[in-house]
Amino acid sequence: MAKHYGAIVEPCPPRRGNRKGSVESSVRFCSGRWWRTLVAKDPESAQISLDRFLATTGDARGRRGPGGERTTVGALADTEPLMALPWAPYPATICDERTVADNATVAFRGNRYSVPPGLSGSVLEVRHRLGTQTLEVHGASGALVGRHVLAPAGSGIVQRLPEHRAALETAVLAAFTTARPCDRKANRPPGPEALAEAARLLGSDGRDVVVDLAAYAELVEVTA
């Protein structure tokens, strides 16, 4: 990465107190002035807070220029000769896990990309190499499941490869049947397990109602 951006990595050698002290001094500055009062719920918020702190308070620290004049860290940084950034980003690969939806697609940056049918609910890995316009979907074993052209982020597009579309149509059509549909009004009395569970839940309220004909006849004579 350093070679890609034209930078030089200078590791801090052991037993070099002057150089190591400079590094530790910067760490103490951030720990005392930023870390103690940090309020952040996730690493992304903490990084934004640190960038803001270094661009304001950090760059305002006093320093001495080459001629001994008073200046700041930000002013010295502005005078440093820096190379222009390369036209393409470092070719790192972004990998993330995605769960396959019921329509045989996975989500990535506001769009959905197709996978073969039969993988609903499984977890696949999507890979995007910076600087390219392709998105690869890999299975748990690392096997390539599909390669798509990357759509603009947030477009809400559903991209399906021709072979995935054909396989999905075949699976849907194969699920059709000409068998007789289920009888909606068939007699399906509850089984022993259902009756036992109903008796357990209802208790005495779930007992069958028994009508005493003698009591019924007496009631009729009273009301007649």
Side-chain angles (χ1 to χ4, degrees):
M1 181 180 293
K3 183 179 180 181
H4 178 80
Y5 288 106
I8 298 176
V9 178
E10 294 185 355
C12 185
R15 294 178 294 277
R16 297 294 190 276
N18 293 336
R19 297 181 61 181
K20 190 173 181 59
S22 176
V23 175
E24 292 180 351
S25 177
S26 299
V27 174
R28 286 196 303 268
F29 172 75
C30 292
S31 300
R33 300 290 300 277
W34 171 75
W35 175 253
R36 292 183 179 180
T37 59
L38 172 65
V39 179
K41 298 181 179 180
D42 49 61
E44 291 78 11
S45 301
Q47 184 64 54
I48 295 174
S49 175
L50 178 60
D51 293 341
R52 186 186 304 112
F53 170 79
L54 293 178
T56 54
T57 306
D59 286 353
R61 287 176 292 171
R63 288 293 185 270
R64 291 287 184 178
E69 69 279 5
R70 291 184 176 275
T71 182
T72 61
V73 173
L76 288 175
D78 292 337
T79 59
E80 292 180 353
L82 299 177
M83 297 176 58
L85 291 174
W87 65 273
Y90 180 75
T93 301
I94 299 175
C95 302
D96 201 356
E97 292 184 345
R98 290 291 187 268
T99 302
V100 181
D102 293 336
N103 61 349
T105 60
V106 293
F108 184 75
R109 291 183 177 178
N111 301 293
R112 305 198 69 89
Y113 301 88
S114 66
V115 298
L119 299 176
S120 299
S122 59
V123 178
L124 303 180
E125 185 181 63
V126 294
R127 302 176 184 176
H128 169 57
R129 192 176 183 86
L130 298 179
T132 65
Q133 295 298 320
T134 59
L135 178 71
E136 295 183 351
V137 185
H138 293 259
S141 62
L144 180 64
V145 175
R147 182 182 288 109
H148 298 266
V149 177
L150 196 65
S155 301
I157 297 175
V158 178
Q159 287 195 5
R160 292 192 184 274
L161 298 177
E163 57 270 24
H164 293 170
R165 181 182 291 105
L168 184 61
E169 291 177 354
T170 302
V172 172
L173 294 177
F176 290 164
T177 179
T178 57
R180 184 174 178 271
C182 297
D183 190 358
R184 296 182 178 179
K185 298 182 180 180
N187 181 23
R188 299 186 181 89
E193 294 81 1
L195 293 175
E197 183 65 17
R200 185 186 68 83
L201 295 175
L202 298 176
S204 60
D205 295 337
R207 294 178 299 178
D208 294 335
V209 178
V210 178
V211 179
D212 188 355
L213 295 180
Y216 181 74
E218 183 180 354
L219 177 63
V220 172
E221 291 178 358
V222 171
T223 58

